[in-house]
Amino acid sequence: MQNRKKVLILASLLFAACGSDPIQDAATSVTDPQEPAAAKICNSSTSAVKGTIIAKFNEEAIPVLEEAAARQAATRSQVTRSGIQRVDEIFEELHVSSFKRVFPYAGDREAQTRAAGLHRWYVLTFDEDQDLDAAAERLASVAEVSKVQFSVELRKAYDGKAYPFTGGAHGETRALVTSDFNDPNLFWQWHYINNADAAIATAARVGADVNAAPAWKLTGGNSQVIVAIVDEGIKYTHPDLAANMWTNPNPSPEYNNEDIHGYNFVDEGPITWDKRETSISGEELGDSGHGTHVAGTVAAVNNNGIGVAGVAGGTGHNDGVRLMSCQIFSGSKGGTDLIASQAIKYAADHGASILQCSYGYSGNDISSDRMYEERSPLEHEALLYFMNQKNCPALDGGLVFYAAGNDGLPVSQYPGAYRDFISVTSIAPDYLPAYYTCYGPGCNVAAPGGETTGQSGGEKAGVLSTLCSEISGADYGYMQGTSMACPHASGVAALGLSYALANGKHYTREEFVSMYLTSVSDLECYLEGTKETGAVLNLEDYRGKMGTGLIDAYQLLMQIEGTPCLKVPTGSLQLITLSQYFGGSANNLTYTGIEMSKEDQEKLGLPSEPEMYNGQLMIKCMKPGVAHITVKAVAGGNRPGSATIIGGIEVTKEFAIIARDSGSKNGGWL
């Protein structure tokens, strides 16, 4: 009985189909729905894939659908009928060639799939000459169908250009960048360590980076953390990526055992990354290396003596986070919310805890969370499912990152704008918004996305990462976009989870996101005046609209460690109130000492040792960087108690000093 039940479930999930014979004993449908058919249609057929409709059936209809699929599987290779009479009449009229569950049988995760209602989503394909709207209306008229959705096209959040890296260590970069890693081209990755090298851009500013170098001294990543790259396929044989690719310990029969490092959801087969074609007009179309570039920013292998570094690529001891390739673009095909939803569900079921998505909708006119939920219910439900999976021991859920968009609009694109997802804006090496970035409502945090246009260094002001030599002729190159900013943000989150694992910490999703979004450097001090690169920007328009600030990896690790961060601008004497750390009477306490190593003092360029003044830490940093300082005070008296003296208890607090270059008095415009 158990085996027969398993066969029925598996059979109901078989994929493609082409026959058109009706099921003779089809169930009778109730043809008087309780709500108008039009109310069930979720979105518009504009930018929709022809010959495809997605439908969500009522729970009561599911046993009929699964039984019909099992019967067909026993007599034919493909499923084309539902077993519901009225539905099958529509299928016959449309010449349906395939009818299957959107999300295949999930093995150990099948119970969770059903609890989330994802087993109720089905996709049918039919003759592309059929009128999509008419087909949707017909299907929506059936009572057993609760929702009908078109499959909408997506687009990558970058400008479509890649600039191959030609090598050469010109300018000051090599001398300016210091790191423990031996990746030879790390010195061109200003987005990790920016010391204002003029070879990158004459307008470059120190600190316009994710502050990776001090973070790497604490962790480079952890292989238990899996980041799913929902994008073009990753070149998993790339010499700077191969060691950090996720490998499926149990390739799945429902994916033809071909999901080794992920899966190609477009072609339903192995991952690809080098499909190109020429259009009738002579335009080059197809793969661009986008997914490989994004993957390299997250976790190119660090300290391996070749190429570039990744934010969470490890320390050279097989400790980088793992990259799962969830391919939704292949050549000139793919990129729909149907395919993206399947990829997201796969990532959730195969252990990913971070979802990296540098795509959005074409011609997006969604303007609220409710509108997104109503128009994109399939993708929304898949994303909620991902967030509810507990795939990392340090986190009670999953994290979703999206690029904010490259249209320069004062609002984030969806899905990123949705309240539970982290939408990432883009800055250039000048610490200013990139000319293309979206900003405003829905945008949560900023990260380096680069500018290959308008900066004096040309493409070097873009983001340097891994590429596909089959397409670009080089293994490394530059791109720009919120697509490039997003993997910096997700990579920092991966570092954070890695450090939490190392410290035995566990967080709810909300706790971690709160720490993450407050681990930032200030952008506001620079937003005055104008900027002209790829476009003319009035910088005041961006105030309070780029997210909480520029993501800072070291600050996140300090929050996880429990070490408070004191943010200090360079170049001027600062008095830092310590009341929140020593209590409301901090100015009346007796401070018994300040400890800061000579090495750290030199690192920050302190002209004199720090002191306490009226409960405030008095310090002047002339150089940007990070250091640790310990402050001691007495609670309950003027001195600590001893065997012979009544006194107080000595309290010791350790702080991380994060010194960054401050903006000029006119707000940072130079």
Side-chain angles (χ1 to χ4, degrees), residues 126-474:
F126 48 89
D127 190 337
E128 292 186 2
D129 292 334
Q130 296 281 357
D131 185 296
L132 264 182
D133 291 305
E137 289 174 8
R138 295 291 310 282
L139 194 59
S141 68
V142 179
E144 286 83 356
V145 174
S146 60
K147 291 180 181 179
V148 174
Q149 181 185 331
F150 300 108
S151 181
V152 179
E153 295 176 352
L154 307 172
R155 61 176 176 174
K156 289 162 272 190
Y158 89 123
D159 66 0
K161 298 177 182 178
Y163 301 87
F165 178 72
T166 56
H170 306 294
E172 304 173 41
T173 314
R174 186 183 291 276
L176 287 171
V177 172
T178 57
S179 170
D180 294 335
F181 295 162
N182 62 10
D183 307 272
N185 299 316
L186 172 59
F187 57 84
W188 286 118
Q189 294 183 286
W190 61 266
H191 29 102
Y192 302 156
I193 307 169
N194 191 339
N195 285 317
D197 181 10
I200 301 294
T202 53
R205 282 193 173 100
V206 173
D209 55 45
V210 297
N211 206 14
W216 286 336
K217 292 181 181 297
L218 301 174
T219 182
N222 186 303
S223 60
Q224 293 184 69
V225 178
I226 301 171
V227 181
I229 309 295
V230 184
D231 209 299
E232 288 182 6
I234 300 173
K235 182 179 178 179
Y236 55 79
T237 60
H238 193 291
D240 227 358
L241 295 175
N244 281 346
M245 290 301 302
W246 170 76
T247 301
N248 191 353
N250 299 297
S252 313
E254 55 266 34
Y255 297 104
N256 302 315
N257 298 317
E258 294 175 321
D259 55 329
I260 308 301
H261 301 295
Y263 193 66
N264 180 341
F265 294 90
V266 183
D267 301 320
E268 297 185 352
I271 298 162
T272 60
W273 57 82
D274 58 354
K275 292 188 175 183
R276 300 286 291 174
E277 61 186 65
T278 304
S279 67
I280 297 175
S281 63
E283 182 184 6
E284 287 290 322
L285 303 172
D287 290 333
S288 62
H290 188 273
T292 298
H293 195 276
V294 165
T297 298
V298 175
V301 182
N302 294 338
N303 207 29
N304 62 348
I306 62 171
V308 297
V311 176
T315 63
H317 298 92
N318 198 34
D319 54 349
V321 304
R322 294 303 184 247
L323 298 163
M324 177 190 292
S325 185
C326 294
Q327 185 175 354
I328 66 168
F329 298 97
S330 177
S332 59
K333 297 189 303 180
T336 68
D337 55 353
L338 168 62
I339 293 171
S341 299
Q342 292 171 326
I344 291 163
K345 173 69 161 52
Y346 179 93
D349 287 344
H350 289 81
S353 52
I354 295 176
L355 204 64
Q356 159 57 44
C357 307
S358 287
Y359 71 83
Y361 291 117
S362 298
N364 187 2
D365 61 348
I366 299 175
S367 58
S368 71
D369 285 5
R370 177 175 294 178
M371 190 180 294
Y372 172 67
E373 293 171 355
E374 293 173 348
R375 292 192 182 184
S376 304
L378 175 66
E379 182 183 62
H380 176 245
E381 289 184 25
L383 287 163
L384 293 185
Y385 178 86
F386 180 89
M387 290 195 302
N388 285 327
Q389 303 311 302
K390 301 174 183 178
N391 290 329
C392 175
L395 186 66
D396 191 14
L399 303 172
V400 177
F401 288 83
Y402 272 95
N406 294 340
D407 296 321
L409 299 175
V411 64
S412 171
Q413 285 186 339
Y414 276 86
Y418 191 75
R419 60 185 178 271
D420 290 328
F421 314 148
I422 297 173
S423 175
V424 186
T425 60
S426 176
I427 69 154
D430 54 11
Y431 226 131
L432 299 174
Y435 70 86
Y436 51 78
T437 189
C438 289
Y439 58 100
C443 296
N444 304 115
V445 75
E451 282 183 339
T452 57
T453 300
Q455 297 282 353
S456 62
E459 72 273 8
K460 292 182 180 64
V463 169
L464 177 61
S465 185
T466 45
L467 279 181
C468 304
S469 57
E470 297 90 339
I471 298 171
S472 62

